[in-house]
Amino acid sequence: MGRVWRGALLPILVLLTWEVAARSGLLLYDSLSYPSAIFRAGLGAIADGSILLATWQTCQAALLGLAIGTFAGVLLGSVLGLWSSMARMAGPTFDALRAIPAVALMPLALLMFGWGLSMEACTVAYACTWPVLIATWAAVRGVETRLLEVADVLEMGFGERLRKIVLPAAFARINVGIRIALGVALVVAVTVEIAVNPRGLGYSLVLAQQSLKADLMYAQILWLALIGFLLNAALRTVEAPGTTARPR
Amino acid sequence: MRHLANGLPPLLFAAALLGIWYLVAEFRLVSPIFLPAPERAFGDLAARFADGTIWEPIGSTVLRMVLGWFLASLVGIALGAAIGLTPLARDLLEPTLEFLRPLPASAMIPVAILFFGLSEQMAVSVIAFGSIWPVLMSSIFGFSHVRVRLQEVSALLGLGRMEFLRKIAIPSAMPDILAGMRSGLAVSLILAVVTEMQASLPGLGRDIFLAQRSFRSTELYAGLIMLGVLGVLINHGLHIAERRLLRWRPQRD
């Protein structure tokens, strides 16, 4: 109990000083606002639904991108994991492609799709592909050779081998990659919205800043931090059963 | 000779991809507005190297990135040492930091703009905010896992706090710190590009953005290639630096 209280001490202290300093005119209201105003602005945004709509738009793009990126990552990662000669050949090229920051692709995606859901999902997908690809690659390489020999004996094709043997055996470790990608997806989606795409939480953040509604801006940032925090916490709780789902 | 044979397949694969790109562009399967021919993109890059105009944006992007990263590393290591070594600081700071950590760094851009305007300081502060997390997390881990035996030795030798920090804690946390700094640098390149686009600060990010705005796709691809190369170079450079700094340590992998 003492630990929780000490952890809450710093935020409470900061909020109190902030409130007092802002109200007494020591701080510039324009850029700092004050905690009670921020709280009110946040409640207002929830009440009129604007923040919920923006959250939905952001999540939609993030999840769509995650789905595409996961599909591409699992497919490419399986290919690299099943044929080591392929991995030797394609590895360096993938390393080079991976080094391009996903955000640098925003202009390209914008050029191709224009503003909207598809350019955002596309950028998110690119960013999400890599963690999934790497996890799948490692997981598939770690699949027991005996299982692969069974697949050989049964003369399974690539698709069947992937569906019936490789992916179930590698699922737990691929899952780790997907969870990492989920965090990446949210960050990239918000970044794309802040930089170019006029939709979602990122854009409403920029809009609040440009219309000098500092209180609304901070409320949205806190909301965003809360979403990230809850997402992280949720991922951590599913981690334990995910890794022990199968007997070893 | 063997080395050469090992290096050949990757080159062939890259060449095959370039070949596909070339054919797609050559037969106009995708409009050249979206996908210029590879020789034009690489030609544009080569021309900018030849007349030297590429160095200025590279220089400003790298400078901004390194400045933010350096700042983040300093603060991150100091905070990490405080939290990793003293339980009180951990109790006080960690919950707040855990709440802030998942916040996308780019969400701080509007805040930074309110405070600093569309300026260099705004970019550096956002870059520092984003790239501090990996350094901070790994420093906390490194400092809180100094071996008990070593702590006992330092107590036995009567080392003061500063001496303990300098002679035992920092060297022992160094591998973790360096690993964190490496991931931090990757983050800082991303944020340098984003802030350039957002605040129109000179650099590779802005160049790509402007190329897109005016539909100069050749320049856009040239810029993307340059950013990819930069990313690879940074990662490799840091790997080498890390190995040299940790030479004293027995290799464990």
Side-chain angles (χ1 to χ4, degrees), chain A residues 83-154:
Chain A
W83 291 293
S84 60
S85 57
M86 194 66 196
R88 262 204 307 285
M89 267 167 66
T93 304
F94 281 142
D95 274 341
L97 284 178
R98 191 157 61 93
I100 302 175
V103 291
L105 290 175
M106 286 188 302
L108 185 58
L110 187 56
L111 189 68
M112 286 183 170
F113 299 105
W115 286 303
L117 176 63
S118 27
M119 72 83 50
E120 193 176 330
C122 196
T123 315
V124 172
Y126 181 85
C128 288
T129 302
W130 304 112
V132 179
L133 188 153
I134 289 169
T136 310
W137 184 0
V140 169
R141 252 184 322 186
V143 170
E144 267 191 74
T145 27
R146 217 165 331 150
L147 288 177
L148 294 179
E149 283 164 11
V150 170
D152 279 340
V153 172
L154 295 176

